[in-house]
Every structure is written in C-alpha cells, then in structure tokens.
Amino acid sequence: MQHMLKACYTRPLVIYLVLALIAISTAAGPAEAMLLPGSPDAAQGAPAYDRAADLAAIQKTLESKELRQRLLDYGLTPVETEARIASLSDEQLHRLSANLDSVQAGGDGLGFILGLAIIALLVVLIIYLLEGRIEIKKK
C-alpha cells in the first residue's frame, strides 16, 4: 500500500519540480541599470572634474571582454553605451569613474551557486524517489 501511494505521488512531484525550475529560470527579465541624475540641490560652486581623465578610466574599463559581453547581453551596443556615457554630467561621470573598482561585470556568483544547489537537490530527490525502481547490473 505504501509503495503504491509513493508511486502515485512520485511522477507528478518530479514533473512539478522540473516545470517549476524551468519557469523560475525563464521568468527573470533583463536587468537594466540606470544612472541617477545629479541632486538638484548640488552647490553651484562645485569642484571642476577632469572629464578627460574620467572618460579615459571608463573607456579602459569598457575595453574588457567580460564587461563588453555583459553589456551586449543586456541589449546595449557599444554605440548606445558611448552615447549614454557622453550624456552624463561631469559629476555623474566622475562618480562613475571613481566607483569602477566596485563594479562586478560577472555578477557576484550567488545566482550560479544557488542554481547548482537547486540542481543538486533535484538530482538527490529524483535518486531517492527512484531508488527502489533502478537495479544496477553487476558484471
């Protein structure tokens, strides 16, 4: 009786888990990064920024293959990227170039580790549920 009850729930559970994993992985839309405008209460006597040096630092960062590929994945062509950077104010450009070291082009890896953990749990669950049905032939 218990084996029949277990077999009754096994297949729908496995199908549900596979479909849920597919739905979760495909539901994520593209992430869009937007630069915030400068604060309206910024002082008019603000320090002058070296726009050429800031542009050079940003251009050097944009030359990395990983970042360029990541921007293409988000749907930004190099021309669009250059246009967005050119439209920034001096203060925004300076803040961007000052914080380039903290930018992670590949992400933080949490999503990758979480995906591996879900796949490992799913494999363990399937093996556990099919444990009595699979016979390993010995040579």
Side-chain angles (χ1 to χ4, degrees):
M1 176 73 176
Q2 185 181 9
H3 179 66
M4 180 192 273
L5 186 62
K6 185 177 177 183
C8 179
Y9 290 112
T10 303
R11 179 169 280 155
L13 179 63
V14 170
I15 292 171
Y16 168 75
L17 288 174
V18 169
L19 291 176
L21 184 63
I22 291 171
I24 289 172
S25 65
T26 59
E32 295 183 15
M34 298 298 292
L35 297 173
L36 297 175
S39 62
D41 57 0
Q44 291 185 3
Y49 299 110
D50 188 8
R51 188 170 181 90
D54 292 337
L55 279 173
I58 293 171
Q59 187 62 36
K60 181 180 176 187
T61 304
L62 287 175
E63 290 174 358
S64 74
K65 290 181 183 178
E66 294 86 15
L67 184 59
R68 197 173 332 128
Q69 183 59 44
R70 193 71 165 182
L71 289 172
L72 286 173
D73 291 344
Y74 288 142
L76 288 174
T77 63
V79 174
E80 289 173 332
T81 306
E82 293 293 329
R84 286 189 181 201
I85 291 173
S87 68
L88 297 176
S89 68
D90 287 345
E91 180 185 354
Q92 291 171 331
L93 196 65
H94 180 70
R95 273 191 283 152
L96 180 62
S97 68
N99 294 322
L100 281 177
D101 293 336
S102 64
V103 173
Q104 297 176 351
D108 58 354
L110 180 64
F112 179 72
I113 293 172
L114 186 62
L116 285 179
I118 290 173
I119 290 172
L121 287 173
L122 190 59
V123 167
V124 168
L125 179 66
I126 290 172
I127 289 173
Y128 173 75
L129 293 174
L130 298 176
E131 186 177 30
R133 296 183 185 185
I134 299 174
E135 294 181 17
I136 300 174
K137 296 182 181 181
K138 296 181 182 178
K139 290 184 176 182

